[in-house]
């Protein structure tokens, strides 16, 4: 018997690609029964976003690795929303659900009778979460939203990359992912409200809103000065030295957050002259003179092997770290100790590799028992459950 936090909570996922499925995957990790509704002709787009693809023990194509990154723990059913019978099937799912997640364009579900007003009429306690590029209000409400474009529009790319290079996007679809994370917080808050009052509500999540919100100190740097921050490469706009530095055999990260750490770093480097230079006495001074500081620091760090300098920083409470490849990350003893790499048994002789939920809970830990589903794998199972619930 499961003791997961969201055991007994039913979720209908009418979402594709990443932001909505990311939210659904987190809810599944926490124990919710997430039923992913997919088009019978191909399913979620990300099933085809490869290579690489995963292969079953019998040679079966299990779809793109991308799909498996964001759909573990779910059940898959197929429905063509243009078909009246399939529309009715989805409405039956909605009637029994606690949560619905969708990422259709604004107004896109009205013609199927699955918009918020229609769903609320079926199930007044339903928590209905819409995820779009720009939200359901404002001049861009009808526009399609794509993560890459949102990263550009939000200002994120204007502060990412080298000063004399191109603006850069993040290495993952960060706007999608953070919107999914924010969506889960909103969904769970709305679920508590629904449990208290019996009344659901509409959650309107926008990628642009979420991406704008996470610019944190950079937003406040602008609001405090009226000047837009610019790209600084690996420099930090407010702290120095907080950057990548070279060693004799590679690079590492220094993340110096206060004057004491800076003094200890200089002692490790044998750089008393840097420590004594009034241009670097305080963080304010170091930020103002970061180019001069970098030249002096790099001259000192290049005399060390990376592992030796990292060890000395660790021993002297100076924040520093390696720059791992993803393979090195998975091989890191801390990642191994936290059991962040998992293999999920599909029940057909195949172990699906995956990443564990990062959420650690003492009483109701997330589970990872179910791998990402095959397209329509649970059609019969879910339909039989509906018939039972309806007494047919």
């Amino acid at each position: 018997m499961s003791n997961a936090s969201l055991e007994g909570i039913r979720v209908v996922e009418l979402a594709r690609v990443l932001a909505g499925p990311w939210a659904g995957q987190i809810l599944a990790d926490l124990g919710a029964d997430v039923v992913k509704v997919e088009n019978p002709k191909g399913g979620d787009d990300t099933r085809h976003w490869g290579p690489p693809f995963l292969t079953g023990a019998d040679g079966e194509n299990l779809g793109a690795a991308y799909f498996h990154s964001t759909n573990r723990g779910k059940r898959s059913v197929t429905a063509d929303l243009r078909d009246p019978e399939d529309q009715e099937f989805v409405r039956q799912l909605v009637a029994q659900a606690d949560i619905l997640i969708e990422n259709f364009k604004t107004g896109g579900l009205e013609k199927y009778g699955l918009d918020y007003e229609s769903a609320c009429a079926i199930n007044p306690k339903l928590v209905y979460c819409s995820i779009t590029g720009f939200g359901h209000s404002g001049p861009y409400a009808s526009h399609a939203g794509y993560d890459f474009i949102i990263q550009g529009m939000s200002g994120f790319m204007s502060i990412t990359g080298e000063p004399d290079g191109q603006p850069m996007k993040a290495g993952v679809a960060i706007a999608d992912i953070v919107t999914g994370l924010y969506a889960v917080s909103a969904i769970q808050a709305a679920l508590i409200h629904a449990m208290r009052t019996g009344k659901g509500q509409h959650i309107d999540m926008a990628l642009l809103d979420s991406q704008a919100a996470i610019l944190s100190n950079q937003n406040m740097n602008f609001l405090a000065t009226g000047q837009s921050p610019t790209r600084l490469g690996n420099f930090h706009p407010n702290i120095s030295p907080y950057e990548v530095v070279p060693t004799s055999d590679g690079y590492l990260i220094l993340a110096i957050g206060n004057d004491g750490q800076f003094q200890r770093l200089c002692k490790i480097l044998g750089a008393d002259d840097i420590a004594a230079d009034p241009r670097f006495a305080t963080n304010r001074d170091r930020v103002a003179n970061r180019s001069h500081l970098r030249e002096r620091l790099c001259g000192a760090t290049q005399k060390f092997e990376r592992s030796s300098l990292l060890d000395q920083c660790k021993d002297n409470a100076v924040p520093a770290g390696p720059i791992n490849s993803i393979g090195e990350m998975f091989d890191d003893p801390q990642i191994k100790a936290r059991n962040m790499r998992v293999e999920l048994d599909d029940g057909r002789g195949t172990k699906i590799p995956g990443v564990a939920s990062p959420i650690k809970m003492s009483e109701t830990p997330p589970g990872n028992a179910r791998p990402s589903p095959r397209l329509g794998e649970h059609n019969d199972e879910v339909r039989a459950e509906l018939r039972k619930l309806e007494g047919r």
Side-chain angles (χ1 to χ4, degrees):
M1 184 71 175
S2 171
N3 66 339
S5 301
L6 298 182
E7 182 183 2
I9 298 300
R10 296 185 179 93
V11 182
V12 175
E13 184 184 293
L14 293 173
R16 308 166 303 284
V17 186
L18 189 50
W22 196 261
Q25 178 170 259
I26 296 171
L27 296 173
D29 284 343
L30 294 172
D33 175 20
V34 180
V35 177
K36 184 178 183 70
V37 180
E38 302 185 71
N39 190 307
K41 296 181 179 178
D44 191 312
D45 295 347
T46 60
R47 288 185 181 274
H48 314 285
W49 283 11
F53 295 91
L54 297 187
T55 303
D58 60 356
E60 177 189 3
N61 180 1
L62 299 178
Y66 196 122
F67 175 81
H68 291 272
S69 74
T70 190
N71 287 289
R72 68 172 175 263
K74 303 176 187 178
R75 299 193 288 173
S76 171
V77 298
T78 54
D80 183 347
L81 296 185
R82 296 167 298 182
D83 181 282
E85 290 187 5
D86 281 359
Q87 288 177 25
E88 180 58 27
F89 164 59
V90 176
R91 281 192 284 270
Q92 290 170 2
L93 286 174
V94 170
Q96 302 295 335
D98 300 286
I99 299 162
L100 185 149
I101 302 171
E102 61 90 9
N103 66 347
F104 283 70
K105 288 184 182 179
T106 297
L109 286 173
E110 289 180 13
K111 58 189 174 184
Y112 306 127
L114 291 168
D115 56 301
Y116 172 64
E117 287 74 17
S118 300
C120 184
I122 297 169
N123 183 351
K125 69 177 178 62
L126 184 70
V127 173
Y128 188 110
C129 181
S130 297
I131 300 178
T132 58
F134 301 101
H136 284 213
S137 60
Y140 303 156
S142 63
H143 295 188
Y146 299 92
D147 176 275
F148 195 175
I149 293 171
I150 297 297
Q151 289 193 43
M153 292 180 68
S154 67
F156 176 81
M157 289 176 62
S158 76
I159 57 172
T160 306
E162 294 295 335
D164 56 353
Q166 284 189 352
M168 296 296 291
K169 69 177 182 67
V172 295
I174 190 170
D176 276 320
I177 289 170
V178 299
T179 304
L181 290 168
Y182 273 121
V184 170
S185 293
I187 286 167
Q188 292 187 106
L191 186 62
I192 292 171
H193 175 266
M195 289 176 170
R196 288 173 176 167
T197 67
K199 183 175 177 57
Q201 61 184 293
H202 186 209
I203 299 168
D204 178 7
M205 298 296 308
L207 270 65
L208 183 59
D209 295 350
S210 298
Q211 184 67 30
I214 67 164
L215 299 191
S216 59
N217 60 302
Q218 293 282 40
N219 281 336
M220 289 306 301
N221 290 345
F222 166 74
L223 294 172
T225 66
Q227 297 180 356
S228 292
T230 57
R231 299 190 303 282
L232 296 173
N234 284 316
F235 282 135
H236 192 288
N238 305 107
I239 312 171
S240 182
Y242 202 97
E243 58 199 80
V244 172
V245 295
T247 67
S248 64
D249 58 345
Y251 292 90
L252 58 79
I253 295 167
L254 293 175
I256 306 304
N258 59 52
D259 297 339
Q261 292 171 355
F262 179 69
Q263 291 295 320
R264 294 196 296 276
L265 171 65
C266 290
K267 185 175 180 179
I268 292 168
L269 297 176
D272 293 341
D273 57 326
I274 299 177
D277 194 319
R279 293 177 299 173
F280 313 136
T282 69
N283 182 69
R284 180 190 289 263
D285 298 323
R286 292 192 293 275
V287 169
N289 296 288
R290 61 160 56 98
S291 295
H292 298 294
L293 176 58
R294 176 170 178 77
E295 182 178 353
R296 301 275 291 278
L297 277 181
C298 289
T301 60
Q302 285 176 325
K303 299 174 183 177
F304 289 77
E305 291 184 352
R306 183 176 65 166
S307 60
S308 174
L309 185 51
L310 283 171
D311 287 343
Q312 292 186 62
C313 286
K314 176 184 175 182
D315 292 342
N316 289 276
V318 173
I323 302 170
N324 289 332
S325 67
I326 291 178
E328 290 169 332
M329 177 272 288
F330 276 117
D331 198 43
D332 189 288
Q334 181 66 21
I335 291 292
K336 289 181 176 179
R338 300 288 284 180
N339 300 311
M340 287 303 297
R341 181 171 182 168
V342 296
E343 287 191 336
L344 304 177
D345 190 340
D346 75 345
R348 305 186 190 185
T350 301
K351 299 287 189 180
I352 306 294
V355 182
S357 169
I359 301 169
K360 312 297 183 186
M361 302 171 72
S362 63
E363 299 300 322
T364 56
N368 301 111
R370 190 196 300 269
S372 302
R374 292 163 171 80
L375 179 61
E377 180 178 348
H378 302 96
N379 276 335
D380 294 341
E381 179 179 295
V382 171
R383 289 176 182 271
E385 289 173 1
L386 282 178
R387 288 193 295 270
K388 184 177 180 180
L389 286 168
E390 294 174 357
R392 293 188 282 121

